[in-house]
Amino acid sequence: MIKYRDLSIKLKLISIQLFTTLFILVFFVGIYLYSQYRQFETVAFNRMSTLSEILGSNSISALLFFDNDAAEDVLKSLKTQPDILNAAVYDHDGLIFATYSLPSAKGFSFNNPVHEGRAVTNSHFVLTERIVFDNLKVGWIALRLDTKNRKAALVEALWQSFLLFIAGLILAALLSVRAQKPISDAILSLSEIAKRVRDSGDYALRLKATSQDELGLLVDTFNDMLEKIWHHEKHLEELVSERTLELEEAKTRAEESDHLKSAFLASMSHELRTPLNSIIGFTGILLQGMAGPLTDEQKKQLGMVKGSASHLLELINDVLDISKIEAGRIDIHGEAFMVDLLVVMAVSSLRPFAEKKGLVFNHTIEPNLPPLHSDKRRLEQVLLNLLNNAIKFTSEGSVQVNCYRRDDSLVIDVIDTGIGINEKDISTIFETFRQIDTGLDRVKEGSGLGLAISKKLSELLGGTLNVKSKPGDGSTFSVVLPLNLESETNED
Ligand code: ADP
């Protein structure tokens, strides 16, 4: 059911006017009917009073000469008044002197003793008056009137009121339809324009004010607001095209600098790595004594040169790798290879470093692993980095590598019993240039790029790199890679 508050403004205004009119009409019709009811009584008693006066004065001589028949003859004249049911004349002492009754009302007798006055019952009026001659009371006269005419009069009044009521309502409806028009039209066109603005976004639309009242003010204010929004929108459009232009320029500049960066990286790769490789190579030759014998001090100094150059080369390689990954320019070369071989090679190459620190360095490989389809060099890079870290951050205990299959994935766990990582640091260790402050003087040992590169490479290979760690207990880094068994079956 539709609620009143949801009706249109037009219907609300019409209904307000109609209900007000209805209320006024009901009120006045009620007053009219009541007055009609009262008026009937007044008119009836006035007529009865006039009749009793005439009949009384006509009965005086009959009363004075005790002539009952004459009095009854006087009363018989009431036959012309069919609503007078009974009449009676009393003598001076209040004794019945003459009576009159319509045949239908025979058997009725007036109250005894006689009292002057009026009585009203549901269906009758009774009037009793004195008969006076020369200021002396000579008798009484009583009349009884049937009030059935009152009902007929009321029904007639009701009909009249009903017709008036209907006419009033029709008139009010016509008037209210006409009278609400200026108000509802203004509000409806205001809401219509607001809807069109909302739907089309056209802020150039305007409304015409038709009056100088509050509605006119509302329309003017609405137009002002549209005007302002329209200006803002225009300004915004200009601003957007201005900013777009700036952005395009910035993009071009960024592309240029990206190009420059690539060129720089390429040249850095050549300009820095080539001489560094030469330094490492030549110091190696010198250290092997191929250019002549060296003193112990010279060997020590040259060893330091070689170490620093190797560290620098690693750093440069890391920076180049992360730059390439971030620029999306790293190439992944997928091939099928035996992962157990790769693990064995990586473990063997780092075993001397682990043993030098007195660490137990073991590995387990699940037998009959299927060949892995991935980039061998990149996976090796990840594994070496994890192993390096494990050895670097473990001063006693062990480093363990486990390689096994889990569902359709290959998992390589690198488990150490080293210093571990705080929970709050776990999310940051994979960010670039992040090194956790462990209180150890080991910052120079790394670039803070190894894990960032490893994680991104693992993801590029379609896998993940995760860590579980507890400070003091050690860490477990897990590389999980898809085995791509389908392509293996296809190739087979
Ligand atoms: P870094 O070159 O410093 O090793 P990484 O990105 O490889 O850079 O590692 C980031 C940081 O994560 C390290 O500085 C270290 O604090 C922490 N970390 C990495 N591996 C381990 C590990 N096995 N045990 C404890 N901490 C580790």
Side-chain angles (χ1 to χ4, degrees), residues 77 173 175 186 195-196 210 275 318 325 348 363 422:
S77 65
L175 273 175
K195 205 168 138 237
R196 270 170 60 194
T210 48
D318 279 357
I325 291 173
S348 322
H363 66 276
N422 270 322

Side-chain angles (χ1 to χ4, degrees), residues 259-291:
H259 187 71
L260 282 174
K261 190 181 130 195
S262 304
F264 168 74
L265 286 178
S267 76
M268 188 164 115
S269 152
H270 182 72
E271 300 297 333
L272 292 177
R273 286 204 289 184
T274 314
L276 269 175
N277 278 324
S278 303
I279 292 170
I280 295 164
F282 285 121
T283 42
I285 289 171
L286 287 176
L287 280 169
Q288 283 169 23
M290 287 165 83

Side-chain angles (χ1 to χ4, degrees), residues 207-260:
L207 203 67
K208 234 173 117 188
T210 48
S211 59
Q212 299 290 318
D213 59 357
E214 290 85 349
L215 281 171
L217 184 78
L218 198 66
V219 169
D220 286 344
T221 316
F222 185 71
N223 282 340
D224 279 356
M225 277 162 50
L226 282 180
E227 183 80 20
K228 278 188 187 133
I229 297 175
W230 185 72
H231 276 296
H232 280 309
E233 202 192 28
K234 272 231 144 323
H235 179 64
L236 201 70
E237 271 172 22
E238 283 166 16
L239 216 69
V240 167
S241 50
E242 222 172 81
R243 294 282 182 276
T244 313
L245 208 74
E246 281 173 20
L247 275 175
E248 269 167 14
E249 282 170 13
K251 190 177 158 239
T252 320
R253 278 202 302 276
E255 277 168 3
E256 274 168 16
S257 26
D258 189 47
H259 187 71
L260 282 174

Side-chain angles (χ1 to χ4, degrees), residues 7 59 95 101 214 228 269 357 377 383 387 392 403 463:
L7 286 179
S59 308
L95 297 171
S101 289
E214 290 85 349
K228 278 188 187 133
S269 152
K357 287 184 83 175
R377 202 170 68 80
L383 189 57
L387 287 173
K392 195 158 67 177
C403 181

Side-chain angles (χ1 to χ4, degrees), residues 385 389-390 392-393 416 419-421 429 434-436 438 442 445-452 475 477:
N385 181 45
N389 278 348
K392 195 158 67 177
F393 296 105
D416 66 54
I419 57 172
I421 305 159
I429 55 169
R434 283 299 190 135
Q435 289 185 315
I436 309 305
T438 54
R442 47 122 231 121
E445 292 174 23
S447 59
L449 285 172
L451 283 182
S475 318
F477 283 83

Side-chain angles (χ1 to χ4, degrees), residues 311 314-315 318 385-394 414-422 425 428-438 442-454 467 469 474-477:
H311 181 69
E314 257 173 48
L315 218 75
D318 279 357
N385 181 45
L386 295 180
L387 287 173
N388 256 320
N389 278 348
I391 296 167
K392 195 158 67 177
F393 296 105
T394 308
V414 177
I415 309 161
D416 66 54
T417 55
I419 57 172
I421 305 159
N422 270 322
D425 295 325
T428 53
I429 55 169
F430 294 107
E431 291 171 15
T432 47
F433 300 108
R434 283 299 190 135
Q435 289 185 315
I436 309 305
D437 184 11
T438 54
R442 47 122 231 121
V443 173
K444 62 179 185 314
E445 292 174 23
S447 59
L449 285 172
L451 283 182
I453 293 172
S454 301
V467 62
S469 185
S475 318
T476 300
F477 283 83

